[in-house]
Amino acid sequence: MRERKRIARLLLTDITLARTDNITVHIRLRGGQDHTLTLPLPLASWQIRQTPTEVVSAIDTLLEEHTDSEIAAILTSKGMVSGTGQPLHARLIRQIGKAYQLRSHTQRLREEGLLTLNDIARHLGVGLSTVKTWRNAGLLTGRRANDKNEYLYQLPSPDLARPRRGRPPRKPSPAGKTTTTSTTRSAV
């Protein structure tokens, strides 16, 4: 290293460095020769690791219909990666959404007027498990809001056919057949 510095002192008489949009270096050698080098400015570290714009726009469009893990699976299958070259996953999708101020899937569903589980249960005057049972039975329409299997629900029509509360009625015995119980045993 010491020899390189010594050789550079012997060969170079003047170095001028100008940093604007590019880095320009003017070098004057002892023999009278002049050289000019122009180099682009190096990118900052955050610019090197920045998420590509096509990935951000794809995330923004997919947030309308999909959760974070579904988006990660879709984009990974298309070969898209993060700014650092890593495969996408649900947590990274959330971080990218926050960094680029994208509305989440849940926020978009709420803006469409969908209600949370507590809101729909309060509106219908039923319990939380009843709302889930009705959704599974097809009486209520719900859309998956996140990766935790939480749903947001559409407000049902006022003429919603509510299932009967309480125990289901007993099945009637077949016609003509009666059941007899044995009364030969007595309680002790």
Side-chain angles (χ1 to χ4, degrees):
M1 188 61 145
R2 178 186 275 174
E3 289 298 316
R4 287 184 183 175
K5 289 181 182 179
R6 190 169 140 290
I7 291 173
R9 274 194 307 267
L10 290 172
L11 293 176
L12 303 175
T13 58
D14 185 29
I15 297 176
T16 307
L17 178 67
R19 183 175 177 164
T20 55
D21 293 338
N22 295 323
I23 296 175
T24 307
V25 180
H26 299 289
I27 302 171
R28 186 175 322 139
L29 301 174
R30 285 203 187 268
Q33 290 182 338
D34 286 339
H35 292 285
T36 302
L37 298 172
T38 304
L39 303 170
L41 285 175
L43 296 175
S45 62
W46 66 269
Q47 291 171 322
I48 294 169
R49 295 185 313 252
Q50 190 173 17
T51 305
T53 55
E54 60 271 4
V55 173
V56 175
S57 62
I59 290 171
D60 191 28
T61 56
L62 289 172
L63 277 171
E64 293 291 334
E65 297 294 325
H66 301 282
T67 64
D68 296 334
S69 62
E70 293 170 345
I71 293 171
I74 291 169
L75 295 181
T76 302
S77 70
K78 290 182 179 180
M80 293 186 174
V81 293
S82 70
T84 57
Q86 299 173 354
L88 297 168
H89 50 82
R91 194 173 102 224
L92 188 56
I93 297 293
R94 271 193 308 279
Q95 289 173 346
I96 291 170
K98 284 181 184 178
Y100 288 91
Q101 299 171 350
L102 304 176
R103 292 171 313 171
S104 69
H105 181 59
T106 304
Q107 290 170 335
R108 294 167 193 240
L109 292 177
R110 290 296 304 232
E111 289 172 0
E112 290 178 15
L114 298 177
L115 303 173
T116 63
L117 178 64
N118 290 330
D119 293 341
I120 194 79
R122 193 175 320 116
H123 180 77
L124 296 174
V126 296
L128 302 178
S129 60
T130 304
V131 172
K132 292 176 185 178
T133 303
W134 288 3
R135 184 197 72 227
N136 293 338
L139 295 173
L140 292 176
T141 305
R143 291 182 57 191
R144 218 170 132 201
N146 56 29
D147 294 325
K148 298 177 186 177
N149 265 349
E150 294 175 347
Y151 283 79
L152 293 178
Y153 299 89
Q154 291 179 351
L155 192 62
S157 63
D159 58 336
L160 173 69
R162 292 176 174 244
R164 184 180 174 287
R165 287 186 179 181
R167 279 187 168 169
R170 277 198 255 174
K171 293 182 182 176
S173 59
K177 293 186 178 179
T178 58
T179 57
T180 58
T181 57
S182 173
T183 55
T184 58
R185 298 177 94 190
S186 62
V188 179

